[in-house]
Amino acid sequence: MTTPVYNPPAHVKDGSERTSDEKALEAGHLESQPPHLAGLPPDPDVDLTAEEKAEVDRKLLWKLDLTLIPWLCILYLLAFLDRTNIGNAKIDHLQADLHHMSTGKYNAALSIFFVSYAVFEPLTNIALKRFRPSIFIPLIMVIWGLCMTFMGFVTNWSGLMAARWFLGLAEAGLFPGINYYLSCWYKRSEFGIRAAIFFSAAAVSGSFGGLLAAAIVKMDGLGGRPGWAWIFILEGIVTVLFGIASVWFVHDFPDLATFLSEQDRARVVRRLKMDQQSSAEHEEFKMKYVWMAIKDYKMWLGMIIYMGCDMPLYAFSLFLPSIISELGYSNVKAQLLSVPPYAAAAILTVVIGYVADRTKRRGLCNIGVSLIGIVGFSMLLGSQKVGVKYAAVFLGALGIYPCIANTITWVSNNAEGSYKRGVVLGFVIGWGNLNGIVSSNIFQKAPKYVSGHATILGYMIVFLLGGSIVLDLLLVRENKKRRDGRRDHWVEGLSAKELEALGDMRPDFIYTL
């Protein structure tokens, strides 16, 4: 029996919209279905009108949002709080209490986190896919919560280094894992705003962390522990408790999620397949997915862009309390003054996520937002006036945080195939976080911090801005070739199953700009 061959149309639309083939399939007018629609479950709403289908879809999306997003935001808030609270501990005499730890040793303690964090990140999405999210995520949370708690009992630099190493190892699975996990639930045009809301928890944690640290350090001396130790102990215990609760609040992938009815599971799988995504269903892991990711130029450019915003992110988060305290404020007031820039960044992160989803121009959003950050760090580099530097801190935060979520969404949108997307996100995020080693060692000489601000500025101009411009131009060119039919020869003679396995290399897959 001859295997049917699928010939893609020469002219295709944006992947976030239904193509004419898909509409025809729904109407029952298409004999040969497009490859990404292979195995499409029966439509539970086949008898409904278009208006009724839209209402069902709206209610389903709202149900997903309320069930998934709030809890995941809390988890990432805790993760970011636990990895950056050492910056709050520093200005509460951490270095002096640990045998007058030198600046070099303190920076090494910051760096060691990013080594284990980055090394294990490319592997974690494979583990998340092979093991259920409802098991994997609670497990790593309990482990890093314990690491955080024990950090409050260290008495020397070696103990701090060990705790930070294991903290990075345990946290490695959360950020890439959750971004990959969310991409398995939402269409490409819906993912950006959700990823932005999720990542805004990082900015909120900066605000919350400053307020919390200002209150916790007042426990100084309680139980014979200094105030900075109680920051680690209390925040670690909270993380452990939320990790245990996550067994019930973190759900599995769409085809196995118990909070959905059988009909709703079918609806989620159908809407993702209509969006040219196959991530909603289980597939067997093969090494070919790793090689597909490694051979994809978009992954390497994504790594360049992401390092351009991730290194500045960690430098900003780890040293903001110190930067503000160098403006002449007391330790507590410095903690409190770190709150407003983070709050502003959280708001803009969500706004950019919404705008990028609606315009489908994630590259232009990256370019515009990065320019704000470039202006901010130029001001920090060029002025020593207190008012100017504090205003520059705002611009710096506004120019960094929205680009993190937007870049991850951009990369995810353009990597099709369940395991391939997981590997791509692991490499992109892992490489970005490896640059946290740079973040930990560039702020040396207070109060000007010339090397720190100049390095951040260079990263944002060359990698974030420059990389975004290059990737945007390349995707525009590639989309034009696909729409003109100049890639159709790639699939001549292939069966529908073989064509589906190509993922985003299918000629009818249109990249998100």
Side-chain angles (χ1 to χ4, degrees), residues 283-293 419-420 423:
E283 64 178 342
E284 183 183 353
F285 173 73
K286 297 176 183 177
M287 274 303 295
K288 74 172 186 178
Y289 299 120
V290 176
W291 296 119
M292 287 173 67
Y419 273 113
K420 179 188 174 182
V423 173

Side-chain angles (χ1 to χ4, degrees), residues 368-381:
V369 171
S370 66
L371 291 173
I372 298 174
I374 289 169
V375 170
F377 283 99
S378 298
M379 290 166 60
L380 281 169
L381 197 59

